[in-house]
Amino acid sequence: MSVVPVRMFGDPVLSTAAEPVTTFDAQLRRLVRDLFDTLESERGSGLAANQIGVGVRVFVFHVDGVHGHLVNPVLDLPCDNEEEQDGPEGCLSMPGLYFDTVRRQHVVAKGYSDRGDPVQVVGTGELARCLQHETDHLDGVLFIDRMSPQRRRNAMRAIREAPWFGGAAPRVQVSPHPLFGRIR
């Protein structure tokens, strides 16, 4: 078992887009195992490679009994179902904090396994939220970047008061994925 420290909010690796995986080898499979071990240890729903300081496009997830990993994920947002969800979302890089965030209710994530086999994950509700959250991480986007200015101000106040906060100045990113409906 290899549990790796999770990078905290303010670490520059969290606001840097990850590089695509080009080699599907034992090192990649070891990274996926480390991500799963760390996710289990932290009792989270998802964990992206850059959250443990590795700048490649890989994440793992375990939501509502569904678990897996995606390498080089791409989100497909069904045009025939643009339903949104607005509810609490957290992040292992901001432990103990949850903020309402708007996400799509239904998504399809496509990518590869750690052996290079095509994978597709269809997500609804919490699984859809997780797939979007982790894909954003790989694009250097944090979930607070998706919030309205007022929600973001409130979230930043809570982050600055958190015992783990190191005082790093936040860098707001613009998500490359469409913002759904109104930003709340």
Side-chain angles (χ1 to χ4, degrees), residues 99-162:
F99 306 106
D100 286 346
T101 306
V102 177
R103 296 282 187 180
R104 286 287 283 271
Q105 180 69 15
H106 308 279
V107 299
V108 177
K110 297 176 182 179
Y112 299 91
S113 74
D114 58 6
R115 298 193 180 273
D117 300 317
V119 175
Q120 177 175 294
V121 181
V122 178
T124 298
E126 288 302 312
L127 180 55
R129 179 178 294 281
C130 179
L131 296 170
Q132 292 167 86
H133 180 106
E134 300 310 327
T135 302
D136 272 354
H137 264 303
L138 299 177
D139 293 328
V141 176
L142 298 174
F143 77 107
I144 62 170
D145 299 330
R146 290 194 165 274
M147 296 177 185
S148 68
Q150 182 59 48
R151 281 190 179 179
R152 189 177 305 112
R153 275 191 296 278
N154 294 339
M156 285 305 303
R157 187 175 306 114
I159 289 167
R160 283 189 296 274
E161 294 170 358

Side-chain angles (χ1 to χ4, degrees), residues 32 35-36 39 45-47 59-63 65-70 119 121 127 131:
V32 170
L35 285 165
F36 270 122
L39 180 65
S45 297
L47 185 65
F59 71 77
V60 299
F61 59 92
H62 189 178
V63 178
V66 178
H67 67 279
H69 67 276
L70 282 171
V119 175
V121 181
L127 180 55
L131 296 170

Side-chain angles (χ1 to χ4, degrees), residues 11 32 38 48 50 65 69 83 94-95 97-98 120 149 155 165 167 173:
D11 189 314
V32 170
T38 304
N50 56 347
H69 67 276
E83 184 181 355
M94 298 178 213
L97 300 177
Y98 296 86
Q120 177 175 294
F165 181 62
Q173 294 286 95

